[in-house]
Amino acid sequence: MRPFTYERASSPRDAAARVARTPGAKFIAGGTNLLDLMKIQVETPAHLIDVNGLGFDRIEPTADGGLRIGALVRNTDLAADMRVRRDYGLLGRALVAGASGQLRNKATTAGNLLQRTRCPYFYDTDQPCNKRQPGSGCAAIGGYNRPLGVIGVSDACIATHPSDMAIAMRALDATVETVKADGGTRAIPIADLHTLPGSTPHIETSLEKGELITAVTLPKPIGGTHIYHKVRDRASYAFALVSIGAVIQKDGSGRVAVGGIAPKPWRVEAAEADMPRGAAAVAERLLAGARPTQENAFKLTLVERTLGAVIAQARG
Ligand code: SF4
């Protein structure tokens, strides 16, 4: 691990300003992803600003009947919250499907959204990787790419976003609240938080330098049957090959977000109009424009079949 300096943030605004003006500075909260990356020198921050003391650890109702989740609420606490279990079952199930209990005890809501890809070449500093080192190339294209993306990918990067929680947040139409380096605040629809790689895969979100996530809000509950179905190579401690987060209503309408296939939680609202027609119709529109590799083309079929299982489960 490279040497770095460390301080505890005194206020959100100060923390945002400090990261924006200090070269090589990064926020640290749970550290469940960042510390691993620092140990193998994929991340080499010169300075860490610890935001754990800033509060942001409460789950509160909003005036319009939704829920405001502090950025530092731990994944375990969020999954166990009775309001989440009752009204946003999809979120609780996605959280429990992610990582181990020990990791969920430390991992935060904001950190979960901002975790980095698990592309194996991203973690191997002997290999070219445009995300880790812009302009160096992509070892995954033409290499081992079975777990990687099939849609939203580019000629520069085919990595996937690894978060289970983010898939649920996308299906639930969450909004991300932030404070910026100038002290201003923003509310970013989760659909606009993560960016596609294009020619700049090292840029993964629409956050500005120093912009700090303070909370994630959920709109009022929409009812329906909440299902999170994660397909992976082994039963636990594995990332999704394909995951489906769905809220399905009695009349067959519903929302579907897909994980394991794209650089961001993948949802195509227009495809949801086809929900009553079944999984094949939805999958066709969800996956329009897909660019699978020879190794991961199976994910296209897997999305359709997993969605079919989810719809069948919702119908009882
Ligand atoms: Fe790096 Fe993306 Fe290529 Fe993986 S797919 S090696 S993360 S550029």
Side-chain angles (χ1 to χ4, degrees):
M1 188 183 283
R2 297 259 179 91
F4 60 92
T5 50
Y6 169 90
E7 69 177 297
R8 289 193 174 92
S10 55
S11 76
R13 195 172 167 168
D14 181 57
R18 295 272 292 159
V19 165
R21 71 169 182 260
T22 308
K26 272 191 172 288
F27 300 119
I28 185 165
T32 56
N33 191 204
L34 179 60
L35 289 178
D36 281 347
L37 292 169
M38 288 173 66
K39 287 175 190 170
I40 56 174
Q41 298 188 11
V42 169
E43 292 268 18
T44 53
H47 186 65
L48 288 182
I49 298 185
D50 186 337
V51 296
N52 282 297
L54 293 181
F56 304 143
D57 56 355
R58 300 182 56 175
I59 305 171
E60 299 167 310
T62 61
D64 65 356
L67 213 54
R68 186 171 189 272
I69 303 157
L72 292 168
V73 170
R74 307 291 154 170
N75 289 179
T76 297
D77 296 330
L78 185 56
D81 186 276
M82 284 312 295
R83 293 160 294 187
V84 170
R85 294 176 65 172
R86 184 187 63 217
D87 298 328
Y88 305 98
L90 170 59
L91 176 58
R93 290 180 190 118
L95 283 160
V96 170
S100 63
Q102 293 94 330
L103 284 169
R104 293 196 297 269
N105 289 344
K106 287 298 289 179
T108 64
T109 302
N112 192 320
L113 291 176
L114 299 180
Q115 61 181 296
R116 311 295 303 276
T117 185
R118 264 55 177 194
C119 170
Y121 301 105
F122 177 69
Y123 288 76
D124 184 347
T125 52
D126 289 333
Q127 298 288 333
C129 171
N130 288 321
K131 188 182 281 298
R132 175 170 29 78
Q133 192 179 352
S136 63
C138 172
I141 297 173
Y144 169 71
N145 51 45
R146 179 177 176 273
L148 301 185
V150 297
I151 196 162
V153 297
S154 73
D155 291 339
C157 180
I158 59 171
T160 55
H161 194 277
S163 171
D164 293 292
M165 186 196 77
I167 305 306
M169 294 288 197
R170 180 70 177 90
L172 294 169
D173 278 337
T175 299
V176 176
E177 296 180 7
T178 69
V179 60
K180 298 197 288 183
D182 63 3
T185 58
R186 277 211 289 172
I188 307 170
I190 192 149
D192 300 331
L193 177 68
H194 301 100
T195 53
L196 296 180
S199 59
T200 55
H202 59 291
I203 300 172
E204 297 174 345
T205 71
S206 57
L207 297 175
E208 298 173 8
K209 187 160 173 51
E211 191 167 7
L212 175 68
I213 295 177
T214 54
V216 178
T217 57
L218 298 175
K220 68 180 180 187
I222 57 170
T225 301
H226 289 224
I227 297 171
Y228 189 72
H229 193 129
K230 181 174 180 179
V231 182
R232 43 190 160 177
D233 278 330
R234 55 178 192 235
S236 64
Y237 305 119
F239 291 89
L241 288 170
V242 162
S243 66
I244 303 276
V247 181
I248 300 178
Q249 306 293 343
K250 281 205 172 80
D251 64 3
S253 66
R255 300 178 182 182
V256 177
V258 186
I261 62 166
K264 61 187 289 184
W266 197 255
R267 183 176 171 200
V268 177
E269 278 85 342
E272 293 165 5
D274 285 328
M275 284 292 286
R277 293 178 54 215
V282 178
E284 187 179 342
R285 289 176 82 177
L286 255 174
L287 299 172
R291 292 173 46 183
T293 68
Q294 210 172 358
E295 281 187 8
N296 69 15
F298 73 94
K299 288 191 176 190
L300 303 182
T301 310
L302 193 55
V303 168
E304 182 185 327
R305 290 185 181 170
T306 309
L307 180 57
V310 164
I311 292 172
Q313 185 182 338
R315 286 176 181 159

